[in-house]
Amino acid sequence: MADFIGRIEEKLEITKCMESDRSEFVVVYGRRRVGKTALIRNYFNDSYDFRFVGARNCSTAIQLKNFSEELSRFSKEACTVPSTWMEAFRLLEGYLEKCVSRKKVVFIDEMPWIDNKQSGFVQALEYFWNSWVAFRDDIVFIACGSSSSWMVNNLVENQGGLHNRITRQIHLSPFTLYECKLYLQSRGFDWDDYQIIQCYMTFGGVPFYLSLLDPVLSLEQNINQLMFKNGSSLQREFDELYTALFNCADKYVAVVEALAQKRKGLQKKEIAEITGVSGGRLTHILANLERSDFIMSMTQFGKNVKNTAYKLIDFYTLFYYKFVKNNNSKDENFWLHHFNDASVVSWRGFSFEQVCLLHLRQIKKALGISGMATAVSTWRYVPENDGESGTQIDLLIDRVDKMIHLCEIKFTNGQYAISKDYAEKLKARASVFKVTSKTRKSLVHTFVTVDGILKNNHSSLLHSEVTAKDLFEP
């Protein structure tokens, strides 16, 4: 296999499929542009016993015609155009019977696009698996698609003929900082950790977005080129992103837009008030967005599930709403003119918090608690009396050994200096948390920064710290 950045665990799963003594039904899903097809193509060196790609917005008749043409290409024999998917899978059975591979690999990509209304595709797939594949031990059937909602509802959580038939699931998430750094270095970038984190804040760990970056340009020039030049590829990306993934995409966009305006997160009832989407429909939308790595849910310390807050964590979407969508300046060099503005500095601070939320495994490792059971949550105090101030903690790590990390997350270029006023603020906040939560656990002040904490008269408040170097761990 050619060199391929990251995805070590995912490739091991595929290897297990190829070496197993049974037929395997593998479901590969994840957000658009995350590299699902690239993973399969790289692993198999683009060599399969059969491969078919669904076509977007095409009728069942066209899909079946495309299927027959692919079957003719792989079998090297003329193939009639099937009139139904039942017939199509029978033709596939006949072809696979003649294949001599020890494990016959069938790869169907963009499967959600195949399943048009009343196409009968899922029912035919169920019959194909249950009547033929299930009695064999030599088939590796790989189903891939960007619509995580379709993949989960119709395959993973299928309550019909495919119930409990899926043998392996591969949920492909965006790159971590570690994988992002490896990828950029492999393409000739010489950026330091501070620059790579800023890159991550803009494009996330989405391999396709990273592939558009030019190592000859600075980070600021790349952002300007891809996001603000008229007609640039990522300026137009948003219009396709959600419509390609979800039915009734306008409802999804409404939820995402509401969350983009409230970086600290919104509870379900607050989202309903803003968007007009409520009940089971909103529950369904939130579940699908979370499956696709666009949002994450965070419980509040000491509260029940009704107080769960949802945060938008897709960095491209966050950047788009913050700087691109309502940019009426028509300035094609907007980012080069404004990347040091106060609003950008503030955005970096919030975005670094999101980066940390997506690297909790690395934070726990740096704190020496990787193997310990923990609960991650947020906390917010709404004042009950006049004269009181509200406060909140964006990340708490509650340990099974009766300790709680109160995490402060700061994005600065260089060491962060704790001032006297800030130290007093943190002590007061910890006191309010202790009283209102009624916890008897020990509280630990933990800072997550880029370059660590400057030692001064107030740094003794610090119990533990995590730096960017820790976040870049595998």
Side-chain angles (χ1 to χ4, degrees):
M1 292 182 290
D3 290 341
F4 193 70
I5 301 300
R7 311 310 192 194
I8 304 300
E9 293 180 4
E10 291 84 355
K11 288 186 286 187
L12 285 174
E13 279 297 297
I14 300 173
T15 298
K16 291 176 183 177
C17 292
M18 297 303 294
E19 296 175 349
S20 75
D21 58 359
R22 64 178 181 179
S23 286
E24 299 277 355
F25 196 139
V26 187
V27 174
V28 183
Y29 64 99
R31 85 181 296 287
R32 177 177 159 91
R33 311 293 205 187
V34 82
K36 300 177 296 297
T37 302
L39 168 67
I40 304 302
R41 292 186 64 180
N42 176 268
Y43 185 93
F44 291 103
N45 198 24
D46 227 1
S47 179
Y48 325 93
D49 293 279
F50 179 71
R51 174 177 178 261
F52 175 62
V53 182
R56 187 181 176 192
N57 296 329
C58 286
S59 66
T60 296
I62 292 176
Q63 304 277 11
L64 288 167
K65 183 176 182 295
N66 293 342
F67 184 92
S68 69
E69 290 175 353
E70 285 299 296
L71 197 54
S72 295
R73 184 169 71 86
F74 276 93
S75 66
K76 297 180 172 55
E77 296 178 0
C79 177
T80 58
V81 178
S83 58
T84 66
W85 280 111
M86 283 290 189
E87 185 180 344
F89 279 112
R90 287 195 203 100
L91 292 173
L92 180 59
E93 289 175 17
Y95 158 64
L96 292 174
E97 288 278 12
K98 301 174 185 177
C99 292
V100 296
S101 309
R102 187 182 72 83
K103 273 289 180 77
K104 300 163 183 58
V105 178
V106 177
F107 176 34
I108 298 188
D109 202 1
E110 296 299 356
M111 188 175 280
W113 288 351
I114 303 171
D115 187 33
N116 296 319
K117 191 175 182 180
Q118 297 181 334
S119 67
F121 175 78
V122 174
Q123 292 85 348
L125 175 60
E126 292 173 349
Y127 189 78
F128 167 70
W129 182 268
N130 291 320
S131 68
W132 191 73
V133 181
F135 295 96
R136 306 176 64 95
D137 60 8
D138 61 345
I139 304 293
V140 174
F141 186 89
I142 302 173
C144 187
S146 296
S147 177
S148 297
S149 58
W150 189 97
M151 299 294 286
V152 172
N153 294 334
N154 289 278
L155 301 180
V156 177
E157 296 179 358
N158 184 292
Q159 297 302 308
L162 291 180
H163 182 62
N164 287 334
R165 300 298 192 270
I166 308 306
T167 59
R168 299 183 195 272
Q169 297 178 48
I170 298 177
H171 176 202
L172 210 61
S173 295
F175 279 163
T176 62
L177 282 172
Y178 169 75
E179 292 168 324
C180 185
K181 185 174 185 176
L182 288 180
Y183 181 82
L184 292 173
Q185 288 177 339
S186 74
R187 299 188 63 242
F189 288 83
D190 190 29
W191 293 347
D192 61 19
D193 290 353
Y194 184 71
Q195 290 171 299
I196 293 175
I197 291 174
Q198 291 185 73
C199 174
Y200 201 86
M201 292 173 180
T202 308
F203 304 107
V206 180
F208 174 75
Y209 299 162
L210 299 176
S211 73
L212 301 176
L213 298 171
D214 186 344
V216 174
L217 303 178
S218 69
L219 173 60
E220 287 74 22
Q221 288 174 315
N222 269 293
I223 294 174
N224 197 80
Q225 189 76 21
L226 293 173
M227 302 293 272
F228 295 99
K229 290 289 184 181
N230 285 336
S232 59
S233 54
L234 293 189
Q235 190 182 63
R236 303 190 307 268
E237 165 76 358
F238 188 86
D239 295 333
E240 287 260 338
L241 184 57
Y242 292 90
T243 55
L245 295 179
F246 307 112
N247 294 325
C248 302
D250 58 319
K251 303 297 183 185
Y252 286 83
V253 171
V255 171
V256 164
E257 185 166 0
L259 293 174
Q261 309 309 317
K262 200 72 173 178
R263 296 297 299 269
K264 299 296 184 182
L266 290 169
Q267 294 179 18
K268 189 175 177 181
K269 62 181 180 181
E270 294 172 319
I271 299 172
E273 290 170 0
I274 295 170
T275 65
V277 183
S278 60
R281 183 172 222 182
L282 180 56
T283 300
H284 182 70
I285 288 173
L286 292 171
N288 287 340
L289 286 170
E290 191 159 16
R291 286 167 179 161
S292 301
D293 295 307
F294 286 105
I295 69 173
M296 73 182 302
S297 56
M298 293 282 290
T299 59
Q300 290 196 49
F301 187 87
K303 302 290 185 179
N304 59 35
V305 70
K306 290 184 179 180
N307 296 98
T308 295
Y310 295 88
K311 291 189 175 187
L312 181 60
I313 57 169
D314 182 67
F315 291 98
Y316 167 80
T317 302
L318 285 164
F319 188 91
Y320 176 84
Y321 273 112
K322 179 68 176 178
F323 299 110
V324 180
K325 184 177 187 294
N326 297 316
N327 177 24
N328 299 315
S329 69
K330 307 301 181 185
D331 180 2
E332 290 198 359
N333 291 310
F334 176 86
W335 196 248
L336 297 179
H337 295 154
H338 297 281
F339 71 88
N340 277 326
D341 286 3
S343 63
V344 176
V345 173
S346 175
W347 160 76
R348 290 189 184 118
F350 282 120
S351 293
F352 188 53
E353 292 178 10
Q354 310 288 65
V355 172
C356 293
L357 289 177
L358 295 178
H359 290 78
L360 291 171
R361 179 170 58 82
Q362 287 80 2
I363 290 175
K364 286 183 61 176
K365 180 180 178 182
L367 295 174
I369 56 173
S370 290
M372 186 179 295
T374 59
V376 174
S377 60
T378 61
W379 173 78
R380 179 170 59 182
Y381 174 65
V382 179
E384 299 176 353
N385 304 307
D386 293 339
E388 285 187 314
S389 298
T391 186
Q392 71 178 49
I393 302 172
D394 295 314
L395 177 61
L396 294 96
I397 303 176
D398 186 1
R399 296 162 44 165
V400 72
D401 61 348
K402 308 295 185 184
M403 298 181 71
I404 301 176
H405 292 269
L406 309 182
C407 297
E408 277 295 294
I409 301 172
K410 299 295 179 183
F411 186 73
T412 55
N413 189 5
Q415 291 184 312
Y416 179 77
I418 302 175
S419 67
K420 178 181 179 181
D421 288 345
Y422 198 66
E424 291 302 321
K425 176 183 175 181
L426 294 181
K427 290 176 183 176
R429 191 179 65 178
S431 178
V432 172
F433 173 74
K434 190 106 178 175
V435 171
T436 58
S437 68
K438 297 181 174 59
T439 184
R440 300 176 65 182
K441 297 183 178 182
S442 299
L443 304 183
V444 179
H445 287 287
T446 299
F447 272 76
V448 185
T449 63
V450 177
D451 294 310
I453 298 297
L454 180 69
K455 304 305 178 188
N456 61 18
N457 292 335
H458 313 294
S459 58
S460 58
L461 171 77
L462 181 71
H463 294 103
S464 54
E465 63 179 312
V466 178
T467 66
K469 182 180 178 182
D470 301 310
L471 298 179
F472 277 89
E473 286 292 307

